[in-house]
Amino acid sequence: MIMQVEHHDLHLDFPEYVDSIHALKASSEKFGNLYDEYHQVTREVERLEEDDVPVDDFAFENLKKQRVRLKDQMYRMLVAHKSGD
């Protein structure tokens, strides 16, 4: 059975913030680092899911939680940027 992997691209998750994503990637080293780390973790989670790699549940859940924490941090920065803070 082939598992359908859900892709977690920020542009798809936050379409209303596409302009802010691009602006912050260019102007904020912190945001750029979070963005890069988010995509690195996301690629690893998707690779594990797509290739059905045996991995212990604890490690896999930690990767997913790390991705959520990164996404939350970026979301807060995007909201602040869009509101002009």
Side-chain angles (χ1 to χ4, degrees):
M1 181 171 96
I2 296 176
M3 186 160 97
Q4 179 64 35
V5 174
E6 182 179 346
H7 294 282
H8 292 266
D9 186 283
L10 286 181
H11 297 87
L12 298 175
D13 290 344
F14 302 133
E16 69 277 21
Y17 292 104
V18 169
D19 291 341
S20 294
I21 291 170
H22 290 295
L24 283 171
K25 277 175 43 183
S27 66
S28 169
E29 183 177 349
K30 179 179 179 181
F31 186 87
N33 290 338
L34 291 170
Y35 182 89
D36 291 344
E37 185 178 353
Y38 173 82
H39 284 286
Q40 179 181 350
V41 171
T42 295
R43 279 191 302 273
E44 181 63 11
V45 168
E46 290 174 357
R47 183 187 72 78
L48 293 171
E49 290 175 337
E50 287 171 353
D51 297 344
D52 201 22
V53 174
V55 62
D56 101 26
D57 289 341
F58 184 75
F60 189 64
E61 287 304 313
N62 276 344
L63 275 175
K64 290 171 123 181
K65 287 176 184 177
Q66 180 183 3
R67 180 173 62 187
V68 168
R69 282 192 299 272
L70 291 164
K71 191 176 198 178
D72 286 347
Q73 286 179 277
M74 287 185 292
Y75 180 74
R76 286 192 296 275
M77 292 176 78
L78 290 166
V79 169
H81 179 266
K82 194 166 185 176
S83 69
D85 291 345

